[in-house]
Amino acid sequence: AQTVTQSQPEMSVQEAETVTLSCTYDTSESDYYLFWYKQPPSRQMILVIRQEAYKQQNATENRFSVNFQKAAKSFSLKISDSQLGDAAMYFCAIPGGTSYGKLTFGQGTILTVHP
Amino acid sequence: DTGVSQNPRHKITKRGQNVTFRCDPISEHNRLYWYRQTLGQGPEFLTYFQNEAQLEKSRLLSDRFSAERPKGSFSTLEIQRTEQGDSAMYLCASSAGTEAFFGQGTRLTVV
C-alpha cells in the first residue's frame, strides 16, 4: 500500500517571498510519478507540478519547483515569489501503478499568503 | 468542453434517503474516478472506470454505494440509505494520460 505524509497542516508566507511545503511518501513501485495538486477554496483541484521518479532532474513550472529525493522518499514543493492567488490547500499525491488518476493523497497543507 | 462537470453542487438529504450524483468527464477521457473528501482531509479513492468497465473499488465503497458509467460517458454515484457519516464532498476526476482533471465536487450533507 502507498502512503503519503504531509507534516505541515498550515504554512504562511509573505507575498513575494518563498515557501517550501514538505511531503514524504512510501511506495513499492520502482517507477512512478509524484504530483502536487492545489485546491483553492470552493474551487476544483488542479495539478501544479509532476515529477517522474526515474528523472533525476527536479521538475519546475514557472514559480513552482520540486526537490525530489528518491532515496529519502521526499518530494517537497517550493513556491517562489508567492502571490495572493497561491493561497489554497496543497496536496501531495502518488498514483497507483499506471492508473494515474487513482491517487493516494496526503493530508494537505493550507497555505496562507499575507499581503 | 470546459472540463469535468458535477451535478448537483450541493445536496442536503435526510438520513435514510437515497441520493445520486452525476459526473460528466472531459469527452475524450476514457478513465473516470470517484473520490470522497471530508473537511480538512485529502481525497480518498472510491472507484474507477475505464470506459464502461468498473475496474476497481475501494474498501471504502460499502454495499450502500454503487457507481455506473453506461456507454463509457457520464457516470453516476448512488448512495442508498444515507447515514450522517456519508456527509462529505464527492469528487469526480477523469484522465486520458498522466494528469487527472477534477470537477468541483458535490457536497453532501446528511441531516
Side-chain angles (χ1 to χ4, degrees):
Chain A
Q2 293 157 300
T3 60
V4 178
T5 303
Q6 294 179 248
S7 57
Q8 304 156 317
E10 298 182 27
M11 291 286 283
S12 64
V13 63
Q14 291 292 132
E15 202 175 0
E17 297 294 306
T18 296
V19 64
T20 298
L21 309 183
S22 301
C23 172
T24 57
Y25 65 93
D26 195 17
T27 180
S28 57
E29 302 284 341
S30 57
D31 191 19
Y32 49 90
Y33 279 85
L34 290 160
F35 302 99
W36 277 98
Y37 278 88
K38 170 185 177 181
Q39 188 176 39
S42 301
R43 294 182 62 187
Q44 67 217 81
M45 196 163 335
I46 58 173
L47 180 65
V48 173
I49 196 165
R50 84 190 81 189
Q51 173 79 42
E52 192 162 4
Y54 80 87
K55 291 186 178 178
Q56 294 185 338
Q57 187 172 6
N58 289 324
T60 61
E61 288 285 345
N62 301 312
R63 298 180 296 106
F64 298 88
S65 61
V66 300
N67 183 5
F68 173 51
Q69 303 289 330
K70 189 172 183 179
K73 293 185 176 176
S74 170
F75 182 59
S76 60
L77 174 69
K78 185 170 83 170
I79 306 174
S80 304
D81 186 26
S82 297
Q83 300 176 358
L84 296 177
D86 295 333
M89 181 82 119
Y90 286 80
F91 293 101
C92 178
I94 186 168
T98 57
S99 180
Y100 298 111
K102 184 197 165 193
L103 297 160
T104 299
F105 286 89
Q107 304 91 321
T109 298
I110 299 172
L111 178 66
T112 302
V113 182
H114 298 288
Chain B
D1 193 323
T2 56
V4 179
S5 176
Q6 291 188 247
N7 287 288
R9 294 288 309 281
H10 303 273
K11 178 72 177 177
I12 300 174
T13 190
K14 291 184 179 179
R15 189 176 51 176
Q17 297 293 304
N18 298 344
V19 293
T20 300
F21 311 138
R22 177 177 170 128
C23 171
D24 288 273
I26 294 171
S27 58
E28 63 268 25
H29 287 182
N30 61 344
R31 292 188 174 186
L32 185 147
Y33 306 83
W34 285 100
Y35 287 84
R36 180 173 69 190
Q37 185 178 22
T38 52
L39 201 61
Q41 299 297 313
E44 296 171 295
F45 168 78
L46 293 178
T47 188
Y48 93 91
F49 293 82
Q50 181 159 312
N51 300 312
E52 66 274 12
Q54 188 173 17
L55 294 188
E56 190 170 341
K57 293 193 287 187
S58 160
R59 283 172 290 182
L60 293 175
L61 211 66
S62 77
D63 56 4
R64 296 185 297 106
F65 287 69
S66 62
E68 295 182 340
R69 191 182 183 197
K71 301 179 183 178
S73 55
F74 70 93
S75 176
T76 58
L77 179 67
E78 181 182 16
I79 308 175
Q80 296 182 325
R81 305 181 302 280
T82 52
E83 301 172 357
Q84 286 192 318
D86 297 331
S87 295
M89 176 77 85
Y90 290 85
L91 297 173
C92 176
S94 69
S95 74
T98 58
E99 180 175 351
F101 293 81
F102 284 81
Q104 290 188 285
T106 295
R107 182 167 296 284
L108 173 66
T109 302
V110 181
V111 297

